[in-house]
Amino acid sequence: MKPIVLALALAFAAPIMAEEISYPDLPPPAQAEAAISRSITVLTAESGIKFEQSNRRRWSSGNYEFNVRAGSAQRRIASTGQALKEWDVAIERPVRLPNKMLIDQEIGAEGVQRAEFTLGDARHEAGRLLLRLWFTWQREQAQVAQWQQQELTLQRLAAMTEKRVKAGDAPKMEHNQALAAAAQAGVSRRQALMRAQLAANEIVRQFPGLELPENVPRSTPQAIQNDFTYWKDQVFQHNHELGMVRSDRHLQQLLAQRSRADRIPDPTVGMRYSSEMAGNEKVTGVYVSVPLSFGLRSAQAEGMQHQAEIATNREAFVQRRLEGDVYATHTQAVSSFTTWQQAADAGNSIRQNAELVARAYALGESSLSDTLTARRIALESTLAEATAQLDANEARYRLLLDAHQLWPLDSDEDVTHDHY
């Protein structure tokens, strides 16, 4: 029974485990999402949504308020010289026309929609920053590991050379050369360690609370599946920046429509009560006032229409730029995988050659200079391979991130921009 129970438990846990180990060389999804959510730009964008929600209520209620007027006067009758006190009071309020009220409600809702796209874009940019800083740190960590291995190898070579010097098989100069090479490797290791510490500090500074593991497993790069058209569709379907400019274009069109509607002024309706002739006459009435415009409202409507045209051109510009960005990201991901394959093949051959040269030196069939040169070339190829491997993984993750297939970047992954 125990094997069956264990199999069932693993089967139910498989989706959760797959989510956790899908990208072992990246921060766990929960930590990445928490770090992105605590980013300053994301918190600012969240405040922007709250501001636009308040702004939506303002657009719905309108800018008009009740206005109370009161005044007093004294009437003097010339024939009798009698002075009569009079006073009046009125309450009035401009009335927003129904078509303007509907447009204002759309403007408020569109402002919230644009703010939501801004939040999504902020989360996306924070994810890009996290990915870039993470792999910068990983490159420095790879440098530390390789220089540490090089230092140990050269120290063993120096110990071997010392034995040969004592045995009279090698001059003292070779021992000094081996010690100098090991010391130089130690200097490079410490420099790489300093850069790794700075890179780690930058991640923690930008994303407080993100835990950095001591060792990050290396993932074998994977080839990019599907063609450019697929990735372009995926990126455009979820791109928040494109949603922002489309929402802004729609908002500017609504503002232009609102400005055209303002060519017909809103009337002001009021009620008035007055006491005249020392209270002998009581007057109650209503009144309507309408402002008369001589070109101002038309000029404003024309200006807002130009603003809408500018927003339309900005949308076209962003769309073209995004097409170029997606093409560059996809091309880089495909090319980086091929580069890593070539670097891995070259690194294996060069390291095998370095081992053969080292054995030849141990047998007295090769010089120390050739051995040190072979070790240096092997180190350079190993570093190039490690860098190519990290570059390939980062480029692939960047493509997945832009297509919303890496980390959760918003609460609704099915958001599209078709309604624009």
Side-chain angles (χ1 to χ4, degrees), residues 287-317:
Y287 61 90
V288 177
S289 65
V290 178
L292 299 178
S293 175
F294 296 93
L296 174 62
R297 295 175 183 268
S298 297
Q300 289 176 338
E302 183 179 355
M304 293 306 300
Q305 182 60 39
H306 292 319
Q307 288 289 339
E309 294 173 358
I310 293 173
T312 301
N313 293 333
R314 187 183 303 116
E315 177 191 350
F317 171 78

Side-chain angles (χ1 to χ4, degrees), residues 33 119 146 170 196 209 234 245 247:
E33 183 179 5
L119 173 60
Q146 294 301 325
Q234 290 297 309
V245 294
S247 180

Side-chain angles (χ1 to χ4, degrees), residues 157 160 164 349-378:
L157 182 61
M160 180 192 304
R164 295 188 61 181
S349 300
I350 292 175
R351 283 190 294 271
Q352 291 176 4
N353 180 71
E355 291 297 329
L356 292 176
V357 174
R359 292 173 187 170
Y361 177 74
L363 298 175
E365 299 175 356
S366 177
S367 65
L368 177 64
S369 178
D370 292 340
T371 304
L372 292 176
T373 300
R375 286 296 181 188
R376 178 179 56 80
I377 296 176

Side-chain angles (χ1 to χ4, degrees), residues 268-279:
T268 297
V269 179
M271 294 183 59
R272 174 177 175 271
Y273 177 82
S274 64
S275 174
E276 299 180 359
M277 299 296 293

Side-chain angles (χ1 to χ4, degrees), residues 211-267:
E211 298 179 4
L212 300 182
E214 294 184 3
N215 296 310
V216 178
R218 292 286 184 85
S219 292
T220 302
Q222 300 179 21
I224 301 301
Q225 305 296 326
N226 301 312
D227 57 5
F228 167 71
T229 302
Y230 166 82
W231 290 106
K232 176 185 173 183
D233 292 341
Q234 290 297 309
V235 172
F236 271 57
Q237 181 181 0
H238 299 286
N239 189 271
H240 295 105
E241 184 181 5
L242 186 58
M244 283 171 52
V245 294
R246 286 176 174 175
S247 180
D248 186 65
R249 182 254 300 164
H250 189 214
L251 179 61
Q252 293 299 328
Q253 290 174 344
L254 288 173
L255 291 173
Q257 183 181 354
R258 181 64 165 82
S259 187
R260 289 193 299 270
D262 265 341
R263 289 179 175 178
I264 301 177
D266 291 329

